[in-house]
Amino acid sequence: MRKRLLVLAAGILQIPIIKRAKEMGCYVIAADGDPNAMGFAYADKAICANIVSEDDMLKIAIDENVDGVIHPCSEVSMAVMGRINEEMGLSGITREQAINATNKHLMRQAFEAYGAPSPVSILTDSAEHAWNVFDTAFSGNAILKPSRNSGSRGIAKIHKGIPKEEFVHLYDIALNESRDKSVLIEQFVEGPEFSVEIIVWDNKVNVLAVTDKKTTGAPHFVELGHNQPSRFSNEVVALVSDAAVAGVKALGLNACACHAEVKVQDGKAYLMEVGARMGGDFISTVLTRLSSGIDMIAAAVNCALGLEPNLLPTEQGSGVCIRYFTPKPGVLDDVKNVNALKHPSVFDSAIYCKVGDVVHDVTSSHCRCGHVIVTADNADAAVELAEGLISSVEFETKQI
């Protein structure tokens, strides 16, 4: 009998999971609220449904008699997945664990209780409250962020001396982007950013890869690219890995993939967050296998099905890098030198916009206009090649 796997969401980031699960012999049921979701074309069965409705998706899971459910590279339906796991006795995280791993305030509380390294963080109930907290409780710069969201949406750096009107404006943006309508004000950590790709099985936290991040920096910190393996020293990699492991343990996660985000300042690691899911931006689905040789998708699918994952390399690893296109804002008039993306070291590339589309300032991951993934002998060479290709493709825009 083929194992029946329910994949919550069927966008571009979920396609690798749908395809790999089918290769593994699973009968894949993909659910998404978009009737034109790209991943539907690759699934055995496509269901257009409200994937954030626990009751609706639980009924579908029961009707389809699924053996496992997975919500990769996204957070909107984590509680749905946890509810299905609990009510159907499936492998994976509980609903409570899902909520704790998507609500940044609850996550910070869990980190503090466990002793996992984390920035100072205060939950606010209004712009006025946040303004007073910033004035009295923080001696330096801070971050405003939605307590529940992802993809860098709504995040802004605030500095001492910021006019109150600007502060309130940024607070309102964060509040509007927050799925539970609350905002955190947090200590700003200055330093390099990393993610850690993890599989937890039988209560053992297995680090598969440490990823270096490139971001826009302040004020929005949108991710512009990633590379594996990390180019930092073994000591820094160990520091980052240890922080991520502590975060996973603090949340009590098991039988799942995890994606932790960490920053390092003055030799100390700070946990930004831990997601009980595979990371987006192709980090977990593509980069980790290319760099480590470990099939993280297969491992995550097996965790969801209650099967022991294979965490040994199945192929030779290499240096790998992804970079995103972020053209000058305006109306896209032309894209030139696209043939540069046919370079033999390019593993994958895509341009998300077409002539006539409006290119926006990069304030969230949704504002990026394409990507290129390259492999090379090592991470240094991969980064150099990817950044060269990003520069060589020319996006011409006209002011609106």
Side-chain angles (χ1 to χ4, degrees):
M1 292 287 291
R2 296 172 69 188
K3 293 287 187 179
R4 298 173 66 85
L5 179 71
L6 174 60
V7 181
L8 298 175
I12 187 173
L13 294 180
Q14 287 77 39
I15 289 174
I17 293 90
I18 294 169
K19 293 171 69 174
R20 184 70 184 98
K22 286 189 65 176
E23 292 171 358
M24 295 167 64
C26 296
Y27 182 87
V28 179
I29 304 150
D32 199 292
D34 179 4
N36 299 311
M38 297 172 64
F40 280 166
Y42 302 93
D44 291 294
K45 184 172 183 177
I47 297 177
C48 185
N50 180 8
I51 66 169
V52 300
S53 169
E54 293 185 22
D55 292 339
D56 289 355
M57 294 313 304
L58 176 61
K59 183 178 186 304
I60 288 171
I62 292 172
D63 289 346
E64 294 295 334
N65 193 28
V66 301
D67 299 292
V69 58
I70 190 169
H71 183 44
C73 314
S74 178
E75 291 193 343
V76 297
S77 298
M78 293 296 291
V80 173
M81 182 178 70
R83 169 91 178 273
I84 293 171
N85 286 340
E86 284 188 355
E87 302 236 2
M88 296 185 67
L90 302 179
S91 176
I93 63 172
T94 65
R95 184 178 183 276
E96 180 181 6
Q97 289 168 341
I99 291 172
N100 289 342
T102 51
N103 182 296
K104 293 179 175 61
H105 175 59
L106 297 178
M107 192 183 301
R108 289 278 181 261
Q109 289 184 317
F111 290 166
E112 183 177 355
Y114 186 84
S118 182
V120 174
S121 177
I122 299 173
L123 183 68
T124 64
D125 54 26
S126 67
E128 187 67 27
H129 179 211
W131 174 254
N132 292 332
V133 166
F134 183 47
D135 183 52
T136 59
F138 289 83
S139 59
N141 297 334
I143 292 284
L144 286 171
K145 64 170 59 174
S147 61
R148 185 165 180 256
N149 212 325
S150 59
S152 303
R153 289 183 287 274
I155 293 177
K157 179 182 177 182
I158 50 176
H159 58 86
K160 284 296 183 179
I162 185 174
K164 186 174 181 180
E165 294 77 10
E166 182 180 350
F167 180 96
V168 171
H169 173 66
L170 294 174
Y171 182 94
D172 288 343
I173 291 174
L175 183 66
N176 185 59
E177 290 287 353
S178 180
R179 293 195 183 100
D180 61 3
K181 298 305 175 186
S182 57
V183 175
L184 296 174
I185 182 168
E186 293 190 346
Q187 169 192 359
F188 176 67
V189 180
E190 184 77 64
E193 298 187 37
F194 307 83
S195 69
V196 186
E197 319 320 317
I198 289 169
I199 291 289
V200 194
W201 181 255
D202 197 21
N203 293 306
K204 182 180 180 182
V205 183
N206 304 277
V207 173
L208 307 190
V210 173
T211 312
D212 299 338
K213 291 180 172 291
K214 179 180 180 179
T215 77
T216 59
H220 301 296
F221 302 95
V222 180
E223 294 172 0
L224 300 180
H226 316 274
N227 68 265
Q228 294 177 359
S230 174
R231 298 193 288 169
F232 284 77
S233 68
N234 292 338
E235 290 76 16
V236 171
V237 169
L239 188 70
V240 169
S241 298
D242 289 347
V245 170
V248 172
K249 291 181 176 179
L251 294 171
L253 305 175
N254 191 34
C256 66
C258 293
H259 173 76
E261 298 192 347
V262 182
K263 294 184 75 172
V264 174
Q265 175 180 288
D266 300 328
K268 181 180 178 181
Y270 293 83
L271 272 168
M272 297 295 106
E273 60 183 81
V274 174
R277 56 174 175 81
M278 301 180 76
D281 280 5
F282 304 99
I283 299 171
S284 296
T285 55
V286 177
L287 271 61
T288 297
R289 179 181 64 79
L290 293 176
S291 73
S292 69
I294 299 171
D295 190 341
M296 188 173 184
I297 296 178
V301 167
N302 279 335
C303 284
L305 295 172
L307 305 173
E308 183 175 1
N310 177 17
L311 300 178
L312 297 175
T314 57
E315 58 187 81
Q316 182 68 39
S318 64
V320 60
C321 178
I322 183 171
R323 287 292 185 264
Y324 284 90
F325 292 105
T326 55
K328 183 179 178 181
V331 176
L332 185 62
D333 190 49
D334 197 9
V335 184
K336 295 182 177 179
N337 200 29
V338 179
N339 284 338
L341 300 178
K342 295 180 180 179
H343 191 285
S345 293
V346 171
F347 178 83
D348 181 64
S349 66
I351 293 175
Y352 310 150
C353 51
K354 62 184 183 301
V355 171
D357 286 350
V358 176
V359 175
H360 298 281
D361 282 318
V362 183
T363 57
S364 81
S365 59
H366 290 290
C367 301
R368 302 174 304 195
C369 291
H371 73 265
V372 60
I373 300 173
V374 304
T375 58
D377 290 339
N378 54 62
D380 288 333
V383 169
E384 182 179 1
L385 176 57
E387 293 188 343
L389 291 171
I390 288 291
S391 299
S392 64
V393 177
E394 300 175 21
F395 288 73
E396 295 185 351
T397 57
K398 296 183 295 186
Q399 285 189 335
I400 301 175

